[in-house]
Amino acid sequence: MSTDSRRRGPAAAPPASTDRRNEEYEDLFEQAPVIFAALRGPHHLLEAANSAFFEAVGRDRARLGEPVGELVPELAVQGVLDRLDAVHRTGVAYRARGGRLLLGLPGRQREGYFDVTYEPRHDEIGRIDGVVVIAVETTAHHHAHLLAAEQRALLEQIARDAPLAEILSGMARAIEELSPDMIVSVLLTDPDGRHLRHGTAPSLPDFYNEAIDGAPIGEGVGSCGTSASRRERVIVVDIATDPLWEDYRDVALRAGVAACWSTPIQDTEGRLLGTFAMYHRTPKAPEDKDLALSAAFTRIAALAIERHRAVEASQAAQEREKAAHQDLAFVLEASTAITRETHYSDALQRMARLTVPALAPLCAVHVTERGRTQRIAVAAATRDGKELLDSPALCEEVDRTVACVLASGATETVSAGSFSAHPGIRGYVCVPLTTRGRTFGVLTLLATDLPLDSRTIALAEELARRAATIADNAHQFTDRARLARDLQAGLLPPELPRIPGATLAACYHPAGEGLDVGGDFYDVFPLPEHRWALMIGDVCGRGALAATTTGMVRHTARVAARLLDDPAAVVTAINDALTENATDEDQFVSLTYGELRHTASHLRLDLIRAGHVPPLVRRADGTVEELAPPGVLLGISREPDFSPCGIDLYPGDSLVLVTDGVTEARSADGEFFGEERLTEALLAAGTAQATAANLIEAVTAAVTAFAGNATLDDQAAMVLTAG
């Protein structure tokens, strides 16, 4: 049926029965909380309706008797008249739940949702003479359902840590869809606590959002700044006249907003998080539903912002923890690397290399020694940086600061604005190298791109503190090792003498780093009547006492051998000296002492072995003999027990003497090198190259191959080869 066909025909008075029926309808539905309308005939003339009907459609009650299609023309395009036609024609009722209708005059339309029933009406003889409409508006319920769904969706976003901007923008759009005449804005508290920053406002123009971004929190700063300051809701019904908007009125009117209600967003402890604002394009005061909507979404915004800040704080804490772990790892790795350097200058040079580029692109290290300050290490990430470090103007500038740090023992930071002669430098820091209360050097880091931050300076200070101790220890180590070497050298012959008819070779390898004087020694010296004395021995222990004992043994042997024409008597004199000068610490000595003399055809050697490693004789033909006359350690008894032994050495024969540091050298699995491997090394040397030097080299190579370079005991060896 067309819309025109639904228009009224000639006016016809309703029958009396209809009037009675309408009166009954009015009595029944006028005060009922439902929408009621009685429509007559195929044109659906409005015969009766209650106040709820006219309020719902937004029309005047005076228009009773008109076709409903003329009274509410918007129903036609939404299919309502077609439904009425079908019910009137078929007599079959129609029911619908949650139907959506747009009602009202153009420009004032509202969206409504209804549960509706269209029932056919019969006259006295059973014919269909109209349709009764009964409806319940469910708009509030529908909006509440949508609101709850939107709130659930937002809470789910918060739970899965969706980006804050996404949550706030989604919230604003959801509210604006529920209330199309509303514009939503959220501002966030700046970290400084004194300003508001843009959070979201998808329906406000960019120029407006930019204008209020960073607005101060305070009285008279629009609705939002004032609300944030007062910590309470601020309602401005008309922006054009309200004094709170004096400074922002022009930009607000240009943006087309006329009213603004702002609510502070606070966390559970009352701290300000931001503001939630609802704008309108016409002056307007909020209704109860608007205030309820604002309260609900303000709470959700607070949850979202709190969650976002908690996540940010957690991430920041994780980043700080990660950075702390990285800093600690850097310091530990750098310290370990520096510790590997056993020499003072090497340790500081390694420190300089490790800081570039990890801490800065340029580094220099200065130290003070014997009253003079000098730069002993530099490091640069590029060749240009190295040239910059060497520039006289920069060196002079840094030297002045270094002098201040050496005097004060405190870190000095120099910013780019403090000097102008070095355009390539953005600043530098000089960190003291201090140990045992004394500042002996300065670590300088120079920045060429970004200025040095506090974290870098703190790392440099920690590294300098550790490196200073390591370098100082290395300095003491170097001095101690030098002293030990000098003292050890004084206990050994400066060089081996030349013996007619024989050649000599010897070697000495201290245990560990050679920090303590060892007890191994050897000596060769001339005697009257063209004789020669030679000896090799081992004093138990290390250090000063071992050095003193070694010196006493060598001195006693040299004096006694010139006075006593008997090797046994010389060894007895050494034993007497040891026992007569005994201290609380027993000093035992193993010794092999011999006196060499020439015969017409060969060399004759008389030996005394006192608890020492048995001497070996390697013959010219390559065979090896062991000399093992009995004898106990010296320094144990005042009456030593030993037996002299004579040996003839012909051309090509060699006497091999070693200390127990050679035979007791250990492999990685703890096995001793032993006398058998020593013999094998001598046998493997061959006959063509069996000189004293070659045999020493063969022994040394065999021990090193077996036990490695590190030794637990001093090693000494001496070879005499007959010519």
Side-chain angles (χ1 to χ4, degrees):
M1 180 182 295
S2 67
T3 302
D4 292 341
S5 67
R6 298 186 181 105
R7 293 184 178 277
R8 279 183 302 186
S17 60
T18 299
D19 291 336
R20 289 194 302 275
R21 192 163 47 190
N22 289 341
E23 291 175 1
E24 293 173 354
Y25 286 152
E26 290 177 358
D27 291 340
L28 181 62
F29 290 106
E30 180 59 31
Q31 302 302 321
V34 296
I35 297 170
F36 165 77
L39 307 178
R40 178 167 60 86
H43 301 296
H44 312 305
L45 303 178
L46 184 63
E47 282 191 337
N50 64 356
S51 299
F53 171 83
F54 290 105
E55 289 177 6
V57 299
R59 276 16 179 230
D60 188 357
R61 178 185 285 272
R63 299 186 62 178
L64 281 172
E66 292 185 20
V68 72
E70 293 181 7
L71 178 64
V72 191
E74 62 266 27
L75 296 179
V77 296
Q78 298 179 73
V80 174
L81 298 185
D82 292 336
R83 289 290 184 188
L84 293 173
D85 288 344
V87 172
H88 190 274
R89 184 176 64 253
T90 65
V92 178
Y94 171 79
R95 295 177 177 82
R97 294 179 62 84
R100 175 179 179 274
L101 290 175
L102 289 176
L103 299 172
L105 298 172
R108 298 177 60 186
Q109 285 185 326
R110 73 177 184 90
E111 181 185 59
Y113 291 84
F114 301 88
D115 291 346
V116 63
T117 297
Y118 301 156
E119 291 278 359
R121 192 182 66 177
H122 299 81
D123 61 12
E124 294 174 345
I125 60 175
R127 292 177 302 180
I128 297 174
D129 70 345
V131 176
V132 174
V133 178
I134 299 175
V136 176
E137 185 168 358
T138 61
T139 301
H141 174 76
H142 178 78
H143 282 176
H145 179 75
L146 291 179
L147 177 61
E150 293 294 346
Q151 288 176 322
R152 282 196 301 273
L154 291 170
L155 292 173
E156 288 173 0
Q157 284 184 298
I158 295 171
R160 63 178 173 83
D161 293 330
L164 180 62
E166 178 182 324
I167 296 172
L168 296 180
S169 294
M171 179 184 73
R173 294 188 186 282
I175 297 171
E176 290 171 355
E177 288 179 5
L178 292 172
S179 302
D181 60 339
M182 191 177 294
I183 300 171
V184 174
S185 166
V186 175
L187 298 178
L188 303 175
T189 306
D190 190 85
D192 66 8
R194 299 191 299 273
H195 298 83
L196 295 173
R197 294 292 177 185
H198 175 71
T200 190
S203 298
L204 286 172
D206 291 341
F207 73 83
Y208 181 81
N209 291 329
E210 292 171 2
I212 64 172
D213 184 30
I217 295 173
E219 188 70 21
V221 186
S223 301
C224 295
T226 305
S227 174
S229 176
R230 296 178 183 176
R231 307 294 176 91
E232 63 183 29
R233 180 183 288 122
V234 171
I235 296 172
V236 172
V237 175
D238 189 354
I239 290 175
T241 60
D242 197 295
L244 295 180
W245 279 82
E246 182 177 352
D247 293 338
Y248 294 90
R249 181 175 292 117
D250 291 343
V251 70
L253 297 178
R254 188 155 60 95
V257 291
C260 180
W261 321 323
S262 182
T263 304
I265 304 172
Q266 296 173 279
D267 65 12
T268 53
E269 297 181 2
R271 289 186 294 262
L272 183 69
L273 303 176
T275 59
F276 176 85
M278 304 168 79
Y279 289 86
H280 285 270
R281 298 197 181 280
T282 58
K284 180 177 173 62
E287 300 176 10
D288 290 343
K289 65 176 183 178
D290 297 323
L291 299 179
L293 191 67
S294 173
F297 280 97
T298 297
R299 288 193 294 272
I300 291 178
L303 286 175
I305 298 168
E306 276 192 281
R307 180 65 176 174
H308 171 73
R309 292 190 175 180
V311 170
E312 277 193 334
S314 175
Q315 291 174 344
Q318 291 175 1
E319 290 298 324
R320 287 194 299 271
E321 183 178 0
K322 180 180 178 182
H325 280 301
Q326 291 174 341
D327 293 348
L328 179 60
F330 167 75
V331 171
L332 290 177
E333 290 174 6
S335 300
T336 301
I338 296 169
T339 304
R340 294 193 187 103
E341 303 293 345
T342 57
H343 296 286
Y344 174 69
S345 60
D346 293 342
L348 295 177
Q349 287 168 4
R350 173 63 70 92
M351 177 185 67
R353 291 195 299 271
L354 289 170
T355 62
V356 175
L359 300 183
L362 303 176
C363 174
V365 179
H366 294 73
V367 296
T368 297
E369 284 192 328
R370 299 180 181 88
R372 293 181 63 253
T373 300
Q374 59 179 339
R375 190 175 74 173
I376 67 165
V378 295
T382 64
R383 180 178 297 178
D384 290 343
K386 178 63 169 60
E387 293 177 355
L388 185 59
L389 273 176
D390 292 336
S391 66
L394 181 59
C395 288
E396 183 179 351
E397 165 74 29
V398 171
D399 287 348
R400 284 196 296 269
T401 309
V402 166
C404 293
V405 174
L406 288 170
S408 67
T411 299
E412 292 276 350
T413 302
V414 181
S415 63
S418 301
F419 56 93
S420 57
H422 321 292
I425 301 297
R426 295 293 305 277
Y428 63 90
V429 61
C430 291
V431 179
L433 296 168
T434 303
T435 185
R436 295 183 295 167
R438 180 180 66 90
T439 299
F440 67 88
V442 176
L443 166 67
T444 301
L445 300 179
L446 302 98
T448 58
D449 185 12
L450 298 175
L452 299 172
D453 56 23
S454 58
R455 171 174 167 262
T456 300
I457 295 173
L459 268 178
E461 289 177 326
E462 178 62 21
L463 180 61
R465 184 183 66 80
R466 294 174 180 241
T469 301
I470 296 169
D472 184 61
N473 290 339
H475 203 300
Q476 295 182 58
F477 176 91
T478 302
D479 290 345
R480 186 175 173 184
R482 183 185 300 112
L483 178 62
R485 286 196 302 270
D486 293 344
L487 186 54
Q488 189 75 59
L491 299 175
L492 297 172
E495 60 181 20
L496 292 174
R498 295 181 180 273
I499 299 178
T503 57
L504 283 169
C507 68
Y508 176 84
H509 297 292
E513 299 290 344
L515 295 178
D516 288 320
V517 178
D520 289 17
F521 64 92
Y522 58 85
D523 198 3
V524 180
F525 52 90
L527 296 175
E529 300 177 358
H530 305 291
R531 294 177 299 121
W532 291 84
L534 53 85
M535 63 180 177
I536 189 168
D538 185 3
V539 177
C540 68
R542 302 180 63 80
L545 184 57
T548 302
T549 304
T550 299
M552 181 185 67
V553 170
R554 290 186 63 220
H555 176 73
T556 301
R558 282 178 173 259
V559 172
R562 286 176 171 81
L563 299 175
L564 304 172
D565 188 13
D566 179 7
V570 174
V571 175
T572 300
I574 295 172
N575 186 71
D576 291 343
L578 288 170
T579 55
E580 289 173 0
N581 292 279
T583 63
D584 292 339
E585 297 185 35
D586 294 332
Q587 288 294 295
F588 307 137
V589 177
S590 69
L591 180 71
T592 294
Y593 175 81
E595 292 186 1
L596 181 71
R597 66 179 184 273
H598 293 80
T599 69
S601 60
H602 62 280
L603 300 176
R604 176 67 181 179
L605 185 65
D606 296 319
L607 285 175
I608 299 294
R609 172 176 169 265
H612 198 71
V613 178
L616 298 177
V617 175
R618 186 189 187 280
R619 297 298 181 181
D621 61 2
T623 59
V624 177
E625 303 171 10
E626 182 182 79
L627 305 177
V632 297
L633 293 170
L634 304 180
I636 295 177
S637 171
R638 290 186 178 275
E639 297 182 4
D641 183 13
F642 45 78
S643 299
C645 171
I647 184 72
D648 293 320
L649 298 177
Y650 294 91
D653 293 344
S654 298
L655 175 70
V656 179
L657 304 172
V658 300
T659 61
D660 60 5
V662 172
T663 56
E664 294 180 3
R666 292 177 182 267
S667 64
D669 56 6
E671 186 178 0
F672 285 125
F673 181 71
E675 296 171 13
E676 184 178 346
R677 288 188 176 84
L678 177 59
T679 300
E680 291 173 356
L682 296 174
L683 290 171
T687 58
Q689 301 295 329
T691 64
N694 289 341
L695 291 178
I696 282 289
E697 185 177 347
V699 171
T700 302
V703 173
T704 301
F706 178 79
N709 291 319
T711 60
L712 299 177
D713 197 2
D714 299 330
Q715 297 174 358
M718 183 169 61
V719 176
L720 179 144
T721 301

mmCIF file of all heavy atoms in Angstrom, residues 140-156 174 178 293 296-297 300:
data_model
loop_
_atom_site.group_PDB
_atom_site.id
_atom_site.type_symbol
_atom_site.label_atom_id
_atom_site.label_comp_id
_atom_site.label_asym_id
_atom_site.label_seq_id
_atom_site.Cartn_x
_atom_site.Cartn_y
_atom_site.Cartn_z
ATOM 1 N N ALA A 140 17.027 2.916 27.162
ATOM 2 C CA ALA A 140 17.966 2.984 28.289
ATOM 3 C C ALA A 140 18.627 1.632 28.527
ATOM 4 O O ALA A 140 19.843 1.542 28.768
ATOM 5 C CB ALA A 140 17.229 3.446 29.544
ATOM 6 N N HIS A 141 17.788 0.561 28.436
ATOM 7 C CA HIS A 141 18.348 -0.779 28.620
ATOM 8 C C HIS A 141 19.358 -1.096 27.518
ATOM 9 O O HIS A 141 20.428 -1.666 27.788
ATOM 10 C CB HIS A 141 17.223 -1.814 28.619
ATOM 11 C CG HIS A 141 17.722 -3.224 28.664
ATOM 12 N ND1 HIS A 141 18.215 -3.807 29.813
ATOM 13 C CD2 HIS A 141 17.818 -4.162 27.675
ATOM 14 C CE1 HIS A 141 18.594 -5.045 29.542
ATOM 15 N NE2 HIS A 141 18.359 -5.288 28.255
ATOM 16 N N HIS A 142 19.005 -0.716 26.280
ATOM 17 C CA HIS A 142 19.911 -0.975 25.153
ATOM 18 C C HIS A 142 21.227 -0.218 25.334
ATOM 19 O O HIS A 142 22.321 -0.793 25.150
ATOM 20 C CB HIS A 142 19.233 -0.537 23.856
ATOM 21 C CG HIS A 142 20.090 -0.713 22.642
ATOM 22 N ND1 HIS A 142 20.280 -1.924 22.035
ATOM 23 C CD2 HIS A 142 20.835 0.194 21.942
ATOM 24 C CE1 HIS A 142 21.101 -1.770 20.999
ATOM 25 N NE2 HIS A 142 21.436 -0.491 20.921
ATOM 26 N N HIS A 143 21.114 1.054 25.709
ATOM 27 C CA HIS A 143 22.328 1.840 25.917
ATOM 28 C C HIS A 143 23.160 1.277 27.072
ATOM 29 O O HIS A 143 24.399 1.252 27.015
ATOM 30 C CB HIS A 143 21.966 3.298 26.191
ATOM 31 C CG HIS A 143 21.598 4.031 24.935
ATOM 32 N ND1 HIS A 143 21.154 5.331 24.951
ATOM 33 C CD2 HIS A 143 21.588 3.655 23.632
ATOM 34 C CE1 HIS A 143 20.896 5.730 23.720
ATOM 35 N NE2 HIS A 143 21.141 4.728 22.898
ATOM 36 N N ALA A 144 22.467 0.835 28.127
ATOM 37 C CA ALA A 144 23.196 0.237 29.250
ATOM 38 C C ALA A 144 23.920 -1.030 28.817
ATOM 39 O O ALA A 144 25.056 -1.294 29.239
ATOM 40 C CB ALA A 144 22.231 -0.069 30.393
ATOM 41 N N HIS A 145 23.253 -1.810 27.961
ATOM 42 C CA HIS A 145 23.880 -3.035 27.453
ATOM 43 C C HIS A 145 25.114 -2.691 26.608
ATOM 44 O O HIS A 145 26.184 -3.307 26.762
ATOM 45 C CB HIS A 145 22.862 -3.811 26.624
ATOM 46 C CG HIS A 145 23.419 -5.079 26.044
ATOM 47 N ND1 HIS A 145 23.648 -6.214 26.794
ATOM 48 C CD2 HIS A 145 23.812 -5.381 24.772
ATOM 49 C CE1 HIS A 145 24.156 -7.155 26.030
ATOM 50 N NE2 HIS A 145 24.256 -6.687 24.787
ATOM 51 N N LEU A 146 24.937 -1.695 25.716
ATOM 52 C CA LEU A 146 26.081 -1.278 24.895
ATOM 53 C C LEU A 146 27.202 -0.709 25.765
ATOM 54 O O LEU A 146 28.391 -0.967 25.531
ATOM 55 C CB LEU A 146 25.629 -0.232 23.870
ATOM 56 C CG LEU A 146 24.718 -0.719 22.741
ATOM 57 C CD1 LEU A 146 24.344 0.452 21.842
ATOM 58 C CD2 LEU A 146 25.406 -1.805 21.924
ATOM 59 N N LEU A 147 26.779 0.080 26.767
ATOM 60 C CA LEU A 147 27.767 0.663 27.665
ATOM 61 C C LEU A 147 28.551 -0.430 28.392
ATOM 62 O O LEU A 147 29.787 -0.382 28.489
ATOM 63 C CB LEU A 147 27.063 1.581 28.669
ATOM 64 C CG LEU A 147 27.947 2.227 29.739
ATOM 65 C CD1 LEU A 147 29.009 3.108 29.108
ATOM 66 C CD2 LEU A 147 27.086 3.032 30.711
ATOM 67 N N ALA A 148 27.830 -1.436 28.884
ATOM 68 C CA ALA A 148 28.499 -2.534 29.582
ATOM 69 C C ALA A 148 29.441 -3.281 28.644
ATOM 70 O O ALA A 148 30.551 -3.669 29.028
ATOM 71 C CB ALA A 148 27.461 -3.489 30.170
ATOM 72 N N ALA A 149 28.997 -3.466 27.383
ATOM 73 C CA ALA A 149 29.844 -4.163 26.414
ATOM 74 C C ALA A 149 31.112 -3.357 26.122
ATOM 75 O O ALA A 149 32.220 -3.915 26.036
ATOM 76 C CB ALA A 149 29.060 -4.413 25.124
ATOM 77 N N GLU A 150 30.937 -2.042 25.971
ATOM 78 C CA GLU A 150 32.100 -1.196 25.727
ATOM 79 C C GLU A 150 33.050 -1.210 26.928
ATOM 80 O O GLU A 150 34.286 -1.257 26.769
ATOM 81 C CB GLU A 150 31.665 0.243 25.425
ATOM 82 C CG GLU A 150 30.920 0.417 24.113
ATOM 83 C CD GLU A 150 31.801 0.143 22.906
ATOM 84 O OE1 GLU A 150 33.038 0.071 23.059
ATOM 85 O OE2 GLU A 150 31.251 -0.026 21.810
ATOM 86 N N GLN A 151 32.469 -1.174 28.117
ATOM 87 C CA GLN A 151 33.305 -1.211 29.317
ATOM 88 C C GLN A 151 34.073 -2.531 29.399
ATOM 89 O O GLN A 151 35.262 -2.539 29.740
ATOM 90 C CB GLN A 151 32.440 -1.017 30.567
ATOM 91 C CG GLN A 151 31.927 0.418 30.734
ATOM 92 C CD GLN A 151 30.994 0.553 31.914
ATOM 93 O OE1 GLN A 151 30.192 -0.332 32.188
ATOM 94 N NE2 GLN A 151 31.098 1.669 32.607
ATOM 95 N N ARG A 152 33.397 -3.628 29.082
ATOM 96 C CA ARG A 152 34.082 -4.926 29.085
ATOM 97 C C ARG A 152 35.218 -4.940 28.073
ATOM 98 O O ARG A 152 36.325 -5.427 28.351
ATOM 99 C CB ARG A 152 33.094 -6.055 28.784
ATOM 100 C CG ARG A 152 32.220 -6.456 29.947
ATOM 101 C CD ARG A 152 31.571 -7.807 29.696
ATOM 102 N NE ARG A 152 30.757 -7.802 28.488
ATOM 103 C CZ ARG A 152 29.475 -7.442 28.443
ATOM 104 N NH1 ARG A 152 28.855 -7.039 29.563
ATOM 105 N NH2 ARG A 152 28.803 -7.468 27.317
ATOM 106 N N ALA A 153 34.937 -4.407 26.893
ATOM 107 C CA ALA A 153 35.974 -4.389 25.852
ATOM 108 C C ALA A 153 37.177 -3.552 26.294
ATOM 109 O O ALA A 153 38.335 -3.940 26.087
ATOM 110 C CB ALA A 153 35.392 -3.839 24.550
ATOM 111 N N LEU A 154 36.888 -2.411 26.929
ATOM 112 C CA LEU A 154 37.980 -1.567 27.398
ATOM 113 C C LEU A 154 38.775 -2.247 28.512
ATOM 114 O O LEU A 154 40.009 -2.184 28.547
ATOM 115 C CB LEU A 154 37.435 -0.226 27.883
ATOM 116 C CG LEU A 154 36.858 0.701 26.796
ATOM 117 C CD1 LEU A 154 36.143 1.877 27.439
ATOM 118 C CD2 LEU A 154 37.956 1.181 25.861
ATOM 119 N N LEU A 155 38.061 -2.908 29.418
ATOM 120 C CA LEU A 155 38.746 -3.610 30.506
ATOM 121 C C LEU A 155 39.608 -4.744 29.968
ATOM 122 O O LEU A 155 40.697 -5.020 30.492
ATOM 123 C CB LEU A 155 37.733 -4.143 31.518
ATOM 124 C CG LEU A 155 36.992 -3.069 32.336
ATOM 125 C CD1 LEU A 155 35.895 -3.701 33.182
ATOM 126 C CD2 LEU A 155 37.968 -2.305 33.228
ATOM 127 N N GLU A 156 39.121 -5.423 28.926
ATOM 128 C CA GLU A 156 39.928 -6.477 28.305
ATOM 129 C C GLU A 156 41.185 -5.886 27.675
ATOM 130 O O GLU A 156 42.276 -6.469 27.762
ATOM 131 C CB GLU A 156 39.101 -7.216 27.253
ATOM 132 C CG GLU A 156 38.021 -8.112 27.847
ATOM 133 C CD GLU A 156 37.100 -8.692 26.778
ATOM 134 O OE1 GLU A 156 37.332 -8.387 25.579
ATOM 135 O OE2 GLU A 156 36.175 -9.431 27.132
ATOM 136 N N ALA A 174 33.635 5.214 21.676
ATOM 137 C CA ALA A 174 32.483 4.464 22.180
ATOM 138 C C ALA A 174 31.469 5.400 22.823
ATOM 139 O O ALA A 174 30.250 5.272 22.603
ATOM 140 C CB ALA A 174 32.959 3.422 23.188
ATOM 141 N N LEU A 178 27.583 6.257 21.643
ATOM 142 C CA LEU A 178 26.426 6.144 22.534
ATOM 143 C C LEU A 178 25.682 7.470 22.656
ATOM 144 O O LEU A 178 24.453 7.491 22.792
ATOM 145 C CB LEU A 178 26.886 5.681 23.920
ATOM 146 C CG LEU A 178 27.421 4.245 24.025
ATOM 147 C CD1 LEU A 178 28.007 3.993 25.404
ATOM 148 C CD2 LEU A 178 26.311 3.247 23.726
ATOM 149 N N LEU A 293 27.549 8.529 33.200
ATOM 150 C CA LEU A 293 28.448 8.100 32.127
ATOM 151 C C LEU A 293 29.861 8.623 32.371
ATOM 152 O O LEU A 293 30.853 7.896 32.214
ATOM 153 C CB LEU A 293 27.912 8.628 30.790
ATOM 154 C CG LEU A 293 28.555 8.081 29.515
ATOM 155 C CD1 LEU A 293 28.243 6.612 29.351
ATOM 156 C CD2 LEU A 293 28.059 8.876 28.308
ATOM 157 N N ALA A 296 31.506 6.638 35.202
ATOM 158 C CA ALA A 296 31.887 5.278 34.811
ATOM 159 C C ALA A 296 33.166 5.279 33.983
ATOM 160 O O ALA A 296 34.096 4.498 34.231
ATOM 161 C CB ALA A 296 30.743 4.625 34.038
ATOM 162 N N PHE A 297 33.221 6.152 33.000
ATOM 163 C CA PHE A 297 34.381 6.137 32.116
ATOM 164 C C PHE A 297 35.599 6.832 32.736
ATOM 165 O O PHE A 297 36.728 6.561 32.343
ATOM 166 C CB PHE A 297 34.019 6.745 30.755
ATOM 167 C CG PHE A 297 33.300 5.764 29.877
ATOM 168 C CD1 PHE A 297 31.926 5.775 29.796
ATOM 169 C CD2 PHE A 297 34.012 4.811 29.170
ATOM 170 C CE1 PHE A 297 31.252 4.856 28.995
ATOM 171 C CE2 PHE A 297 33.357 3.890 28.371
ATOM 172 C CZ PHE A 297 31.969 3.906 28.285
ATOM 173 N N ILE A 300 37.263 3.990 34.392
ATOM 174 C CA ILE A 300 37.968 3.145 33.417
ATOM 175 C C ILE A 300 39.241 3.833 32.942
ATOM 176 O O ILE A 300 40.298 3.194 32.808
ATOM 177 C CB ILE A 300 37.036 2.814 32.232
ATOM 178 C CG1 ILE A 300 35.925 1.879 32.700
ATOM 179 C CG2 ILE A 300 37.821 2.194 31.085
ATOM 180 C CD1 ILE A 300 34.927 1.522 31.638
#
